[in-house]
Amino acid sequence: AVLGCDLEVVSARGRAFVDDYFTPAERAWGGADPRRVTVLWCAKEAALKAIGEGLREHPLAVEVTPVEPSASEWRALALAYRDRRLRAWARDLGGHVAAVATG
């Protein structure tokens, strides 16, 4: 199994950033909410690290689908990269978001 992780500061990102790096479904979920946008971005970076590409691959190549929140502090996420399916978990740490991806 492969593993990728990322840690991001929660911050407002501009509309151009969201339009450039997120799919329509991701934009619908994240909207303009800085925490949700950070969860999506952090999960994308963790996934790209897990597949060994990092930002050599365009972030649109990974689509993040949030799974219903659980009782855990970690939010489950489903990730799609080409024909691969990965799983990720993200956690809000207050001013930061941490994500771990595997697959």
Side-chain angles (χ1 to χ4, degrees), residues 2-92:
V2 295
L3 183 69
C5 61
D6 193 51
L7 178 68
E8 296 286 334
V9 173
V10 175
S11 61
R13 290 170 170 85
R15 189 73 202 161
F17 177 89
V18 173
D19 289 344
D20 286 347
Y21 298 120
F22 297 131
T23 67
E26 292 167 340
R27 289 194 301 268
W29 184 80
D33 182 311
R35 291 198 182 283
R36 285 187 171 199
V37 169
T38 303
V39 165
L40 292 169
W41 181 250
C42 198
K44 281 180 180 273
E45 284 219 50
L48 291 169
K49 290 173 184 176
I51 61 175
E53 290 297 323
L55 289 176
R56 289 185 302 266
E57 178 73 78
H58 196 284
L60 280 174
V62 173
E63 185 165 44
V64 180
T65 303
V67 177
E68 290 300 316
S70 69
S72 167
E73 294 179 347
W74 290 87
R75 173 185 282 278
L77 306 163
L79 306 170
Y81 171 72
R82 298 183 185 176
D83 61 344
R84 292 179 67 178
R85 300 292 175 254
L86 296 97
R87 296 195 62 197
W89 296 265
R91 181 174 178 179
D92 186 336

